[in-house]
Amino acid sequence: MDRSIALRGLRTLVLCVTSAGCASVAPVPYSEMASSAYMAPDKSDTSGRVPYRYSTPVDWRSYNKVILDPVVVYRGRDHQFGDMSDKDKATLAAYMQNCFADRLRSRFALVRERGPNTLRIRLTLTGAVTNTPVLGTLSRFDMAGAVYNGVQAARDGEGLLTGSVIYGVEIFDASTSRLLSAYVTKQYPGAYDIKASVGALAAATAGLDKGAAALMAQLN
């Protein structure tokens, strides 16, 4: 692609985003998630990363073991994968399983059997957006893109032409099957994360890394 043509296209897209408000994908309370009936808009979340949540008072420190169910790829009509291939969905699901297991292992013993002091966590991958090839990276260096990304970085918003991932988390007491916490979240890399702009799924996997860290912050 000729660089001048690419930059003209980038500036047009920046104008679209800033003036016409081109909409990014926003999570919904997915109808076929078991906990959807319990979740409500999370008014305390000003970032927009966790728009729906259900929570109960829990002493997370009383749990020292966890069962991590295999990641579910959501098939409901209200999924938000767009035209993403099944192969890419499977790739993200496998990365998500390993990423969250590694994070949980730093605090919990990963087990397979229900028992006391044990959580069970179900992760449902409900949507994802791939990076825009070439333009996504160029937007970090072009003046028009730099201005937009600078504003987004200041408010922890999404970078221009950058991918993202959306998923649901449901946390149960393994011995009683009682739902303790559930939420839907959208995660994406920092607006100036150049590495996460290279490769179709790089931003989505970076988002999963951030999401796993956020879950651990909740459980600690």
Side-chain angles (χ1 to χ4, degrees):
M1 180 186 294
D2 181 83
R3 182 178 175 82
S4 63
I5 295 175
L7 291 176
R8 284 199 299 272
L10 173 61
R11 288 169 186 139
T12 300
L13 286 167
V14 172
L15 181 62
C16 171
V17 171
T18 56
S19 64
C22 294
S24 63
V25 176
V28 299
Y30 301 96
S31 59
E32 295 186 24
M33 273 185 61
S35 63
S36 63
Y38 297 90
M39 286 191 278
D42 185 355
K43 296 180 180 179
S44 67
D45 177 62
T46 58
S47 69
R49 287 184 184 267
V50 188
Y52 300 98
R53 184 185 293 274
Y54 167 78
S55 60
T56 59
V58 182
D59 177 11
W60 298 113
R61 300 303 300 181
S62 67
Y63 295 91
N64 56 23
K65 297 184 288 293
V66 65
I67 300 168
L68 180 62
D69 290 351
V71 172
V72 175
V73 177
Y74 187 72
R75 304 293 182 184
R77 291 185 178 182
D78 50 353
H79 73 78
Q80 293 181 300
F81 291 107
D83 59 358
M84 178 173 283
S85 70
D86 288 340
K87 180 180 178 181
D88 281 352
K89 294 175 195 174
T91 297
L92 284 178
Y95 185 90
M96 187 176 193
Q97 187 78 36
N98 292 331
C99 172
F100 277 73
D102 286 346
R103 282 284 187 168
L104 289 166
R105 197 176 285 116
S106 67
R107 154 91 163 76
F108 300 92
L110 266 64
V111 299
R112 296 184 179 181
E113 302 295 329
R114 297 183 180 185
N117 311 115
T118 305
L119 297 172
R120 182 167 67 88
I121 297 178
R122 179 192 299 150
L123 304 173
T124 303
L125 185 63
T126 58
V129 176
T130 58
N131 283 328
T132 301
V134 182
L135 292 179
T137 303
L138 282 177
S139 70
R140 273 66 186 167
F141 301 99
D142 174 73
M143 181 61 71
V147 171
Y148 179 82
N149 285 322
V151 172
Q152 291 298 87
R155 63 185 186 185
D156 194 27
E158 291 180 75
L160 186 65
L161 308 176
T162 303
S164 59
V165 64
I166 306 173
Y167 58 91
V169 177
E170 295 165 300
I171 308 173
F172 304 86
D173 182 291
S175 61
T176 65
S177 296
R178 183 169 71 94
L179 181 65
L180 303 176
S181 177
Y183 59 90
V184 169
T185 183
K186 179 178 183 177
Q187 295 288 347
Y188 42 84
Y192 275 115
D193 188 337
I194 306 297
K195 182 179 178 181
S197 72
V198 181
L201 299 179
T205 55
L208 290 172
D209 290 337
K210 294 185 76 168
L215 174 61
M216 288 307 300
Q218 174 182 336
L219 299 178
N220 278 323

